[in-house]
Amino acid sequence: MTDLTLADAGVESAPDVADDGVWLACIDCDWTGAPFEEVRYRCPDCDSLLEVRYADHPSLDDFADSTERGVWRYADALPFASGVSIEEGDTPLYEVPTIEDETGVADLRVKHEGMNPTGSFKDRGMTVGVRVAEELGVGRLACASTGNTSAALACYGARADTQVLVLLPAGKVAAGKVAQASLHGARILEVDGNFDACLDIVSDLADRGEAYLLNSLNPFRLEGQKTIGLEMLEQFRDQTGDLPDRIVLPVGNAGNTAALYKAFREQVAAGSLTPEEVPALTGVQAEGAAPMVEAIEEGNDEVRRWEDVETRATAIRIGNPVNAPKALPGIRETGGTAVAVSDEEITDAQRSLARDGVGVEPASAASVAGLRKLRASGEIAADEQVVCLTTGHLLKDPDAAAAAGAEPEPVPADTDGVLDHLGESRE
């Protein structure tokens, strides 16, 4: 079990290895290390996940003094004052009145991360991660991807003028995402295997010193993603005068669940939140790729790797969520839960979001599908204020959007023919 609890979220004394109040720490043992002296992804003593730690934690009120927008508004909670940036973050928190009325919760908002520069939340992690890569002086960036990570890394790597290598599961990535990585100049390798096989290979390449890994195994990438939680708290408070009771989010590699939990632990340490005020983190997976849900339902401390996974929600088609050791405590410590939804429920939620004017890819809609299912079962109460996180834009997977939408209707090339087709009368 990790020590990632809300009760232990106090300000820490910086160890001797800290660099300007920043260091790396193992989530399972007492190892600490310098953040930028050498490349590390896992603890050298016990092979567990690493986390970025800070001597000081700014509060939500401290951020209010910043004139910046987006990720770097929260620079005081990040390893650097600025990064390789294309104005990521500052994404909208939408009202969705139709879905709010249907589900019957007290207040429902949708945090649409698809409005980032490359169309997904991954940009938040890349602005920090690529800046760290510059600090470390690495020459090649790499990732395994179901699509969004490769698009973001290719874009930010291009901005930093650094070579990018991406490994994709052959035939399993939406065309829009491959096109992004290609256009931004990444070298794309299609692997005869699933995402988890791609991650195994790219992790081995990183261990051999052939590339700097920027999947969410990298603890610095999650620092950028934690700004979703900080921004969400500020926006919800500004719009409603309150804080959300629950955040419902899709789970693939569980990086966002881990990152939001870290953001909230740090705000407890800063005094902005009490442990009781931390929103309940609620994860949603597709039924065909639900190892986190299995672990929560069975009360397991570890996730069992699913070798065969399948869902039309390609962004969460992952059978071995690498951040599960950070995410499982986040769900349990905040009083959250996890639920699996069918592909049909995901597509129906995608259509409902579109009716409220919010266009998302299938994986994003899993959060609303999960809200519906948990509301129907009574797990989510009518008096709750809820934020659903949507992680990628509609155009990330145009084929899925077209399949979920209405078919085009052929008509003649004249006005009378159009009116006849519409069934309207003419004078």
Side-chain angles (χ1 to χ4, degrees):
M1 292 292 289
T2 73
D3 63 354
L4 304 182
T5 66
L6 292 169
D8 296 328
V11 175
E12 300 179 70
S13 298
D16 293 340
V17 295
D19 184 339
D20 196 23
V22 181
W23 67 97
L24 290 172
C26 177
I27 67 170
D28 279 327
C29 74
D30 294 332
W31 183 88
T32 58
F36 313 120
E37 285 185 0
E38 60 182 294
V39 175
R40 292 190 188 278
Y41 309 107
R42 289 187 176 274
C43 175
D45 287 352
C46 72
D47 202 42
S48 291
L49 299 179
L50 298 178
E51 190 172 73
V52 183
R53 299 278 174 86
Y54 303 90
D56 298 301
H57 297 298
S59 68
L60 289 179
D61 290 340
D62 293 329
F63 300 133
D65 296 330
S66 174
T67 58
E68 297 288 331
R69 307 295 301 175
V71 168
W72 294 101
R73 171 182 178 81
Y74 307 103
D76 288 346
L78 298 173
F80 297 103
S82 62
V84 178
S85 178
I86 46 176
E87 299 185 31
E88 55 290 312
D90 196 21
T91 57
L93 187 69
Y94 290 129
E95 294 184 62
V96 282
T98 304
I99 301 173
E100 181 181 284
D101 288 346
E102 175 223 321
T103 56
V105 293
D107 199 333
L108 177 62
R109 310 287 161 124
V110 167
K111 178 66 169 166
H112 193 6
E113 285 294 293
M115 302 305 284
N116 272 294
T118 76
S120 86
F121 73 91
K122 300 293 178 73
D123 295 351
R124 291 183 185 262
M126 294 309 172
T127 185
V128 177
V130 174
R131 172 67 182 88
V132 173
E134 289 184 330
E135 187 75 9
L136 290 166
V138 299
R140 179 193 286 158
L141 311 175
C143 70
S145 181
T146 56
N148 286 331
T149 301
S150 64
L153 181 58
C155 180
Y156 283 78
R159 184 79 168 195
D161 194 25
T162 306
Q163 182 183 356
V164 172
L165 176 68
V166 300
L167 278 70
L168 308 176
K172 297 293 186 179
V173 177
K177 302 174 186 182
V178 178
Q180 284 182 285
S182 176
L183 184 60
H184 288 302
R187 188 167 183 181
I188 302 170
L189 305 183
E190 290 192 321
V191 176
D192 183 17
N194 61 21
F195 168 82
D196 299 302
C198 293
L199 185 56
D200 289 342
I201 295 168
V202 80
S203 297
D204 191 33
L205 288 172
D207 289 341
R208 297 185 189 194
E210 296 294 332
Y212 184 62
L213 180 67
L214 272 167
N215 281 96
S216 59
L217 176 65
N218 186 316
F220 291 105
R221 219 193 79 179
L222 297 189
E223 292 306 287
Q225 290 170 221
K226 79 182 181 186
T227 65
I228 299 171
L230 300 173
E231 198 171 276
M232 192 184 293
L233 292 178
E234 284 199 297
Q235 289 176 319
F236 198 91
R237 186 178 62 181
D238 289 346
Q239 291 181 18
T240 71
D242 209 344
L243 295 172
D245 298 306
R246 184 182 300 268
I247 296 167
V248 186
L249 68 164
V251 174
N253 243 337
N256 276 337
T257 311
L260 265 62
Y261 183 47
K262 187 171 189 290
F264 299 151
R265 284 166 43 224
E266 290 177 356
Q267 286 308 296
V268 170
S272 296
L273 301 174
T274 66
E276 294 73 27
E277 289 175 321
V278 172
L281 290 171
T282 300
V284 186
Q285 294 189 295
E287 288 178 347
M292 282 280 292
V293 176
E294 179 183 72
I296 290 292
E297 290 181 345
E298 295 181 359
N300 300 331
D301 292 336
E302 297 180 350
V303 166
R304 177 182 66 86
R305 178 171 178 155
W306 287 24
E307 295 296 342
D308 298 314
V309 290
E310 189 54 60
T311 170
R312 71 182 59 149
T314 58
I316 54 174
R317 189 192 283 145
I318 295 172
N320 187 35
V322 69
N323 283 293
K326 296 178 178 178
L328 286 172
I331 291 172
R332 289 173 170 141
E333 285 284 315
T334 62
T337 189
V339 65
V341 293
S342 69
D343 279 4
E344 292 71 26
E345 289 168 325
I346 288 171
T347 298
D348 189 59
Q350 187 184 19
R351 293 191 186 106
S352 296
L353 282 160
R355 283 195 295 272
D356 268 332
V358 182
V360 303
E361 66 170 318
S364 294
S367 59
V368 170
L371 166 65
R372 285 172 162 171
K373 195 164 189 175
L374 292 171
R375 184 74 188 92
S377 70
E379 180 74 28
I380 294 178
D383 62 354
E384 290 192 40
Q385 299 184 97
V386 180
V387 175
C388 283
L389 181 64
T390 59
T391 48
H393 195 276
L394 165 80
L395 296 178
K396 284 289 190 170
D397 193 342
D399 292 338
E407 290 289 332
E409 303 171 46
V411 295
D414 62 82
T415 304
D416 287 344
V418 169
L419 289 173
D420 283 341
H421 181 80
L422 294 174
E424 297 186 17
S425 61
R426 305 191 310 276
E427 293 183 359

